[in-house]
Amino acid sequence: MQDRRNSRGLGLAFGIVAALALPAGPAQAASSLADIVAKLGGKDCERAEGYSCVTVKVPYDHNSNDPQQFLEIEFAIDFAEAESKGILFYVVGGPGGSGIDAIGNYLPAYDERLTAEMDIVFFDQRGVGPSYGIDCPKANAVFDTAPLTPQQPEAAIEAARAFVESCMAETPNRDLLPYLDTEQAIRDLEAFRQAIGAPKVWLYGESYGTQFAQQYAAAFPGALEGLILDGVVDLTLDADGYYEGFARAFDGVLRRTLEGCDAIAECRADMGKPATEVYDALIARLTEGPIEVGYPLSSGAFAGRELTRTLVEAVATGWVYGPADRADFLRALAAAGHGNYVPMLRRAYSGLYIDPETLEGQSASDWYGAAYYAITCRDYGDAGQADPEKAAAAIMAKAKALEPEAPRLIRTAYAERIACAFWPEAGTAERPAPFAGGGYPTFVLNTNLDPATPITNGYAVFDRIENGYMITQEGGPHVIFGRELACPDQTILAAMLDGTLPAAREQYCDTDPVAYYEPVTLLDAQDRDDPFAIARAIETEIALSPELYYWDGWDPLSVGCDYGGSIDATSTDTAYVYEFRNCAMWPQLVLNGKFINEETDAESSYALDATVKIDGKDRGTILYRHDLTTDTRSLGGVFDGKALSTPRPAL
């Protein structure tokens, strides 16, 4: 269920919608919700430029409704550009994800009809956000990198106990801990709906958000015009059932990802042997002990680091959520197979929110790690154990028995659960009643390569509900709506905006399980003598750097290059500028100069102006341009004393 990375990979798929009428909700004037929000004190969002924000006061505990204890839950709204056809409530995953900080990553990728014709509401669930966030990034970093194994249960249990103690000492807002379960949170959303006049709404939940959405729909069935569950949690699963399925799914998706490499010529060539053999050999080597790595710092110097089995498994877990991420993981694995372990470390640090310069855990505006535990541990009843050591030992014993079924990623079955055993605030051991749907249409979306919410969950929910529609995407990411794919987007938009339901209750589409695999650049030393290959390799490495990819684009950033030197990233009103300072992305190839990504209303382009030194010798200056508007490339400059020109492909 933990979904800390937003994998928005693209692919090709096709959806079919037939003309079956769906009663549409009453259309509202484009300004009506805006007027209501303004009367409630709405104003421009500080954390989501271009959107309106409003807070609603709710009790700490909806069961006691003590007026002396209250929270102010913040909601961000994107008002319809034209006459609104309804309101869509959006529940992000995690739990622990910030809806408001995610809004800028989500809405721009959606079909323009959605933002033109619907009012869309994002919010920060209680325990998330700058005012009431529950977070302990330093404690999380220590626990996430600890070597927890079923073969050493005592050490794993002690690490979990120490994590919870450290997290409690680090996190603010501890007084909220007893009130952070999903049952409390759904009532916050209902308070907002009541505040805006109690209209019927569409409700979308992704990942953990599908649990939230199902519980909300069961509690307030009259609130819904329609329901969309994307990457589905089956509410009937207890902690044992959920985490066992979780581990099997992650292990299976990793296996399929490794096998997928063998079907891609470039990936197979980079590995040099079956990808499964490369991965298993690396894990076997790391089981003997860590690999010492010189890790490049932003200063251009190196720090001694260790690549451990835990870190590789963290990448194998965190980077198989979607087709593009899977390709990126395979690329890092291929580099490791050739002795460069830095790409693997970069992805481990990025995925675990670890500062690569200091190795301390980093806070993130869109993720609250302690909230994940505070909500999950209470919802699944693992928290507040009378004898936590005994409960954790039982969890470790079950994991050891399960290990033959999930040998590569068995850690996913127990690491979070043993931490929950020590969590201080007890939840309930009872799971919510099975969700049965209602008089509104319910769309169930899942992919067969979903590691976090296995497709078996989706089928189980779909088979129990009335007015249900199932869309299965083969090979896709963890959640599938809003990836600019016809399937499922056009089916969902037809239902929300046109009142048109699919003719068939079940639909199927497919996409590539591994997408956009980029070969490891300049792997062949001969390519270092080709200025056009060097230029294209620089473009590729800039695009695939996790530090640069997740850079906020505002605050200046410096990143070490794999073999020394650094890149300084800055921005202007129209461009992102990457300046090389003795940057060696490859052995003995040193760059100085600039790579610029310029984006204007008229065009978008990459431009390179850099001097190149190879094996200590000055080789020249490369001028390269990639016009993204026309997808054309050109080359200029001087290399080895000869003027460069755009290459002419051989017949």
Side-chain angles (χ1 to χ4, degrees):
M1 197 188 313
Q2 187 172 3
D3 184 13
R4 300 195 291 187
R5 299 188 61 257
N6 177 29
S7 171
R8 305 191 69 77
L10 306 179
L12 297 175
F14 182 71
I16 301 174
V17 179
L20 181 63
L22 167 69
Q28 60 179 15
S31 62
S32 62
L33 182 59
D35 290 343
I36 293 170
V37 168
K39 291 177 182 178
L40 292 173
K43 56 184 179 181
D44 292 342
C45 294
E46 294 182 2
R47 293 183 288 135
E49 185 177 358
Y51 304 101
S52 295
C53 277
V54 66
T55 58
V56 173
K57 187 179 291 187
V58 300
Y60 262 46
D61 183 359
H62 284 277
N63 297 318
S64 68
N65 202 20
D66 181 352
Q68 301 303 313
Q69 284 193 307
F70 62 87
L71 309 172
E72 291 186 329
I73 303 298
E74 188 172 13
F75 296 83
I77 305 100
D78 179 59
F79 298 114
E81 298 166 8
E83 182 177 2
S84 177
K85 294 183 177 179
I87 301 172
L88 171 65
F89 285 174
Y90 200 110
V91 189
V92 299
S98 166
I100 292 177
D101 283 298
I103 190 170
N105 292 327
Y106 282 75
L107 291 189
Y110 288 158
D111 188 292
E112 61 184 15
R113 283 196 67 198
L114 183 64
T115 54
E117 301 177 29
M118 293 285 284
D119 297 310
I120 307 173
V121 177
F122 286 75
F123 66 100
D124 280 349
Q125 184 170 335
R126 54 173 56 204
V128 171
S131 297
Y132 304 105
I134 305 293
D135 201 14
C136 53
K138 293 181 180 179
N140 259 313
V142 173
F143 185 58
D144 289 343
T145 57
L148 315 180
T149 68
Q151 288 70 37
Q152 296 179 307
E154 295 84 2
I157 292 169
E158 174 56 26
R161 182 197 61 76
F163 160 65
V164 174
E165 287 184 0
S166 298
C167 185
M168 290 300 97
E170 183 182 351
T171 190
N173 303 312
R174 281 197 58 188
D175 56 329
L176 277 176
L177 289 175
Y179 314 110
L180 293 183
D181 53 78
T182 301
E183 193 61 33
Q184 294 277 357
I186 63 171
R187 300 183 187 280
D188 297 340
L189 185 60
E190 177 61 8
F192 174 78
R193 192 182 73 89
Q194 294 294 331
I196 61 173
K200 283 196 172 186
V201 301
W202 279 86
L203 178 61
Y204 172 91
E206 63 170 17
S207 193
Y208 157 77
T210 68
Q211 172 176 324
F212 185 112
Q214 289 173 77
Q215 290 185 231
Y216 179 92
F220 309 107
L224 295 184
E225 194 73 51
L227 180 64
I228 305 161
L229 306 174
D230 192 356
V232 185
V233 175
D234 180 2
L235 300 186
T236 67
L237 293 176
D238 61 10
D240 286 340
Y242 176 75
Y243 279 100
E244 287 174 8
F246 193 68
R248 292 189 188 98
F250 266 104
D251 211 270
V253 173
L254 173 59
R255 174 180 53 79
R256 290 281 301 275
T257 298
L258 295 169
E259 292 171 352
C261 174
D262 300 338
I264 300 171
E266 295 86 353
C267 188
R268 185 173 65 249
D270 280 354
M271 293 290 178
K273 61 181 69 172
T276 301
E277 292 184 20
V278 177
Y279 181 84
D280 288 345
L282 179 59
I283 293 298
R285 165 63 185 83
L286 293 171
T287 302
E288 298 174 359
I291 295 174
E292 299 295 328
V293 180
Y295 189 84
L297 302 178
S298 61
S299 65
F302 292 92
R305 297 289 169 76
E306 291 184 342
L307 179 68
T308 65
R309 175 173 179 169
T310 300
L311 290 175
V312 172
E313 290 179 348
V315 180
T317 301
W319 296 74
V320 294
Y321 275 75
D325 284 340
R326 294 168 197 148
D328 206 16
F329 159 67
L330 290 170
R331 195 169 184 273
L333 179 62
H338 289 277
N340 182 7
Y341 303 105
V342 171
M344 190 70 75
L345 279 174
R346 289 188 192 278
R347 281 148 188 81
Y349 296 154
S350 175
L352 296 175
Y353 295 115
I354 292 174
D355 186 334
E357 299 284 316
T358 66
L359 295 189
E360 286 191 348
Q362 295 176 300
S363 59
S365 63
D366 61 350
W367 175 250
Y368 292 80
Y372 172 82
Y373 286 97
I375 298 166
T376 302
C377 297
R378 287 177 56 77
D379 279 356
Y380 278 91
D382 278 333
Q385 298 289 337
D387 189 341
E389 285 82 4
K390 182 177 179 180
I395 292 169
M396 294 300 295
K398 292 175 183 177
K400 188 172 183 179
L402 182 67
E403 190 171 18
E405 298 181 49
R408 293 188 176 94
L409 295 180
I410 188 61
R411 181 183 173 120
T412 57
Y414 60 84
E416 295 167 2
R417 289 198 67 195
I418 57 175
C420 283
F422 292 91
W423 200 258
E425 295 294 339
T428 173
E430 296 181 3
R431 295 294 292 155
F435 178 62
Y440 47 83
T442 296
F443 287 88
V444 178
L445 316 180
N446 248 114
T447 170
N448 69 327
L449 287 190
D450 186 339
T453 50
I455 196 169
T456 51
N457 289 6
Y459 287 137
V461 171
F462 172 70
D463 288 340
R464 286 193 296 264
I465 60 176
E466 59 175 308
N467 297 323
Y469 297 86
M470 180 88 188
I471 302 177
T472 302
Q473 186 181 92
E474 182 172 358
H478 168 42
V479 293
I480 62 177
F481 179 64
R483 269 64 181 169
E484 299 178 330
L485 303 176
C487 169
D489 288 12
Q490 295 308 312
T491 301
I492 300 301
L493 292 175
M496 280 198 292
L497 305 178
D498 303 325
T500 303
L501 288 174
R505 293 286 182 177
E506 292 192 55
Q507 296 185 359
Y508 165 91
C509 58
D510 58 18
T511 189
D512 294 330
V514 178
Y516 314 120
Y517 181 83
E518 287 285 351
V520 178
T521 56
L522 306 189
L523 197 58
D524 189 335
Q526 289 183 330
D527 290 337
R528 294 186 304 172
D529 290 322
D530 181 346
F532 194 55
I534 293 171
R536 297 190 67 170
I538 291 169
E539 180 181 346
T540 297
E541 295 303 327
I542 293 288
L544 296 181
S545 162
E547 295 98 331
L548 297 176
Y549 181 83
Y550 291 108
W551 173 42
D552 63 13
W554 297 102
D555 300 319
L557 174 71
S558 292
V559 178
C561 301
D562 284 9
Y563 294 92
S566 62
I567 300 173
D568 294 339
T570 56
S571 63
T572 68
D573 289 341
T574 61
Y576 299 109
V577 180
Y578 307 94
E579 185 167 0
F580 306 122
R581 298 186 182 278
N582 295 318
C583 171
M585 295 180 179
W586 305 274
Q588 303 301 314
L589 194 160
V590 178
L591 303 169
N592 281 283
K594 292 182 179 180
F595 181 88
I596 299 173
N597 174 203
E598 187 168 15
E599 297 182 6
T600 66
D601 292 338
E603 64 177 18
S604 178
S605 65
Y606 295 130
L608 171 70
D609 181 351
T611 62
V612 181
K613 183 179 289 187
I614 300 175
D615 294 326
K617 298 179 181 179
D618 291 328
R619 299 293 293 274
T621 299
I622 297 176
L623 304 176
Y624 167 81
R625 181 179 175 83
H626 181 184
D627 188 326
L628 300 176
T629 307
T630 59
D631 196 23
T632 56
R633 296 174 172 85
S634 58
L635 186 70
V638 176
F639 199 79
D640 287 343
K642 297 179 180 179
L644 294 174
S645 60
T646 303
R648 297 178 178 180
L651 294 177

